[in-house]
Amino acid sequence: MIGLISATSAGAAARDRLAAAWPERTRVYEGPVGDAVRAAFAECEQLVCFLATGAVVRVIAPLLADKTSDPGVVCVDEAGRFAVSLVGGHGGGANELAREVGELLGAEPVITTATDAVGLPGLDTLGFPVEGDLAAVSRALLDGEPVALKAELAWPLPALKVTGDGTHVVRVTDRLVDAAEREVVLRPPSLVVGVGASKGAPVDEVLGLVRDALRDAGLAEASLAELSTVDAKAEEPGIVEAARALGVPLVTHSAADLAAVEVPNPSDAPLAAVGTPSVAEAAALVHGGELLVPKRKSSRADGHASMATCAVVRRPARGRLAVVGLGPGARDLLTPRAKAELRSAAVLVGLDQYVDQIRDLLRPGTVILESGLGAEEERARTAVAEARKGQAVALIGSGDAGVYAMASPALAEASDDIEVVGVPGVTAALAAAAILGAPLGHDHVSISLSDLHTPWEVIERRVRAAAEADIVVTFYNPRSRGRDWQLPKALAILAEHREPATPVGVVRNASRPDESSRLTTLGSLDPATVDMMTVVTVGNTATREIAGRMVTPRGYRWQGSSLEDAK
């Protein structure tokens, strides 16, 4: 929960904007400011104070205990110009909160954490539990001293300024080891514990079994990713509460899926009870991995029969490929999720001109693999190959990476041996539509007129189908120096079904500094004025020009009269 505190009417107005935007995340604290801050500090994970930083410092100073447990505190000035990450930048999430508050209120986030200031990832912000001499290793990274990466598991990490050797160490392991002097240990989520239990098994018995199995095998509880069991035990209280106590999700699988997993210790008892010869081992192994602890039974001090079993598996480390849409070009149309993925990547793959757009967002040390036009398949293969090495990879494309961009060739290359995530972006069609008005207000289709990858016969058939169906059409790749006849042909097909006065929007370089747009008609459009940087949107028979804007009605009957009045 985020506590919100203000002292003036201007602060209260900004406070209320946050409360309205985040109703499930925030709580407003009223009353004397000092009392409100103290109450919020005790009750909330984070605070946003619409107060001077000095005033907040004086109130919270006696309350500060430890940076790993103190709430994150952000201060917003009276004029709403700055959102200052005051306390708990990393551990309390104040740095990210300052960015969120700044984006919502139009304020500049002020972040003074050393690693953030120079673009390095904080070792405590990588999403892994971290142990050891964080301050010393972070200082070495900042000072440019050699820091060695000792990865016992090839888990994907963002760009880190590390070497093969050094006086300071970043160690990646799930083994139960203590961090040495000048060493930080990162705990990747590499362990899966399969659990079986009789009906009514006590949570203490299940929880103790899991923890004993990990400890005895020399494995760190902090690397536990999930508890896994059979569907029939999805609501077994002892298992559910054990997962909650461990802070991990409970994942369940069908008996049929578990029965198909080959295990070293099958048994007739679970087969009779839930339909699979193995629960613990099969649930741990269902997605592959190395069996570190075979089926193990709980022990009971009262001498009664064991009610729980478990097995531990180290799941395979998989590289990560994020396919990121950069939007149409304007920085403010690049989504926050896309920015986060770019900052999380150790390797970036992309077209050279797109790399130039976002180069400043990459962390120092990011490996950049760029190439020119026409190398889409090569870039896709490169990105997948880097991910298969265990890297965190971002493959970028303009607009939405899944629309005439890099997602298709990348996913055609990828298999289930890597993790793949897609990050949507604002497409050229959507950016152009926003400039033109509302041309996509009803059914619409995007068609690329480039026949480099698609035979013209197929393209023509699609254009004709859209024309006959009276669908608004957005043409991508409409015309280039070597392809100058496709657009006139496509427009002629549409003209067989639409009047010459049908509105047509032409937008070049949507959202970029040299953006241009114009509204014309199907009968008046000169194809020679169009190039590859242009998006052409042709309306349907209901599309109208209203007050200089291109509008396609949604089709409701009650809109008919208003359209007639606008003619």
Side-chain angles (χ1 to χ4, degrees):
M1 186 64 67
I2 303 172
L4 306 179
I5 303 100
S6 62
T8 66
S9 57
R15 175 203 68 192
D16 291 344
R17 287 176 61 190
L18 280 190
W22 300 336
E24 303 299 323
R25 299 177 60 191
T26 57
R27 175 182 171 185
V28 174
Y29 283 78
E30 304 280 7
V33 168
D35 293 343
V37 171
R38 282 186 283 271
F41 196 93
E43 298 169 358
C44 297
E45 291 81 23
Q46 295 175 319
L47 282 70
V48 179
C49 301
F50 297 87
L51 306 164
T53 55
V56 177
V57 166
R58 281 190 288 273
V59 175
I60 69 171
L63 309 176
L64 296 174
D66 186 271
K67 68 179 183 178
T68 61
S69 58
D70 290 334
V73 180
V74 171
C75 291
V76 179
D77 66 289
E78 182 74 6
R81 297 170 302 165
F82 304 106
V84 182
S85 175
L86 185 67
V87 170
H90 287 167
N95 290 354
E96 184 56 35
L97 180 60
R99 295 186 183 98
E100 289 187 83
V101 170
E103 186 170 344
L104 185 61
L105 299 181
E108 180 72 22
V110 178
I111 297 168
T112 58
T113 312
T115 50
D116 294 82
V118 298
L120 289 173
L123 294 173
D124 53 349
T125 66
L126 301 181
F128 305 142
V130 57
E131 304 164 10
D133 197 349
L134 183 63
V137 177
S138 296
R139 192 178 307 114
L141 286 169
L142 288 166
D143 292 343
E145 297 180 23
V147 176
L149 176 64
K150 294 184 179 179
E152 297 176 13
L153 302 173
W155 218 263
L157 299 172
L160 295 171
K161 295 174 67 176
V162 292
T163 63
D165 195 12
T167 56
H168 295 75
V169 175
V170 174
R171 188 174 181 183
V172 183
T173 182
D174 59 12
R175 293 193 299 113
L176 190 60
V177 295
D178 293 326
E181 185 180 358
R182 293 182 295 187
E183 180 179 72
V184 161
V185 176
L186 300 180
R187 301 294 191 187
S190 57
L191 303 176
V192 175
V193 173
V195 178
S198 303
K199 185 176 181 179
V203 59
D204 290 344
E205 182 172 346
V206 177
L207 189 58
L209 171 64
V210 172
R211 284 178 166 158
D212 288 347
L214 291 171
R215 185 190 63 249
D216 293 349
L219 300 170
E221 184 179 316
S223 281
L224 182 59
E226 65 185 50
L227 291 192
S228 182
T229 191
V230 66
D231 285 346
K233 297 296 179 179
E235 297 181 4
E236 182 63 42
I239 297 178
V240 172
E241 291 302 318
R244 185 175 291 117
L246 292 164
V248 297
L250 176 62
V251 179
T252 65
H253 307 277
S254 70
D257 286 344
L258 297 188
V261 178
E262 185 175 343
V263 297
N265 300 293
S267 172
D268 292 335
L271 179 62
V274 294
T276 171
S278 171
V279 174
E281 288 180 339
L285 285 166
V286 67
H287 292 307
E290 178 187 1
L291 183 62
L292 302 178
V293 179
K295 183 173 70 174
R296 170 173 173 160
K297 294 182 179 181
S298 58
S299 59
R300 298 182 56 141
D302 59 10
H304 287 85
S306 168
M307 297 185 73
T309 60
C310 81
V312 184
V313 163
R314 177 181 287 134
R315 61 185 184 179
R318 299 198 304 166
R320 187 173 190 273
L321 173 61
V323 187
V324 181
L326 300 181
R331 178 57 60 85
D332 59 353
L333 293 181
L334 178 65
T335 68
R337 186 179 300 180
K339 292 178 184 177
E341 288 293 350
L342 295 174
R343 302 282 286 175
S344 298
V347 179
L348 181 88
V349 181
L351 179 68
D352 47 14
Q353 63 191 59
Y354 297 153
V355 172
D356 289 341
Q357 290 179 23
I358 48 84
R359 196 182 296 270
D360 62 302
L361 297 177
L362 305 177
R363 294 193 186 277
T366 303
V367 175
I368 300 174
L369 304 176
E370 54 188 313
S371 52
L373 286 168
E376 288 84 0
E377 293 181 357
E378 176 189 341
R379 283 194 291 276
R381 285 193 293 269
T382 297
V384 172
E386 290 295 320
R388 284 181 174 143
K389 295 177 184 177
Q391 298 275 26
V393 182
L395 174 63
I396 58 174
S398 66
D400 183 287
V403 179
Y404 303 123
M406 294 306 302
S408 292
L411 268 62
E413 287 286 331
S415 54
D416 62 2
D417 59 342
I418 61 173
E419 179 186 1
V420 179
V421 295
V423 181
V426 178
T427 68
L430 296 179
I435 294 165
L436 295 170
L440 308 182
H442 208 292
D443 298 336
H444 53 275
V445 64
S446 296
I447 298 176
S448 171
L449 295 183
S450 172
D451 56 1
L452 294 177
H453 300 288
T454 306
W456 174 253
E457 294 77 13
V458 174
I459 297 173
E460 181 174 336
R461 188 165 67 247
R462 292 171 178 171
V463 174
R464 194 171 300 281
E468 293 173 351
D470 196 26
I471 296 176
V472 176
V473 181
T474 297
F475 288 123
Y476 280 69
N477 305 314
R479 184 175 179 273
S480 67
R481 291 180 181 179
R483 296 186 302 98
D484 58 2
W485 58 268
Q486 287 91 339
L487 179 59
K489 177 63 175 175
L491 295 174
I493 294 171
L494 292 176
E496 295 173 11
H497 300 269
R498 301 178 194 184
E499 297 295 328
T502 300
V504 175
V506 180
V507 180
R508 187 176 190 279
N509 284 328
S511 87
R512 298 180 184 181
D514 53 349
E515 169 191 297
S516 63
S517 65
R518 68 184 189 278
L519 196 58
T520 182
T521 65
L522 184 57
S524 302
L525 175 62
D526 179 5
T529 63
V530 172
D531 62 12
M532 284 288 286
M533 305 304 294
T534 305
V535 172
V536 178
T537 301
V538 182
N540 64 16
T541 56
T543 305
R544 298 289 184 270
E545 179 183 344
I546 302 176
R549 290 181 283 270
M550 187 176 176
V551 180
T552 301
R554 293 182 65 184
Y556 299 122
R557 291 187 177 88
W558 55 263
Q559 288 187 320
S561 59
S562 62
L563 284 173
E564 289 299 321
D565 294 342
K567 289 182 180 177

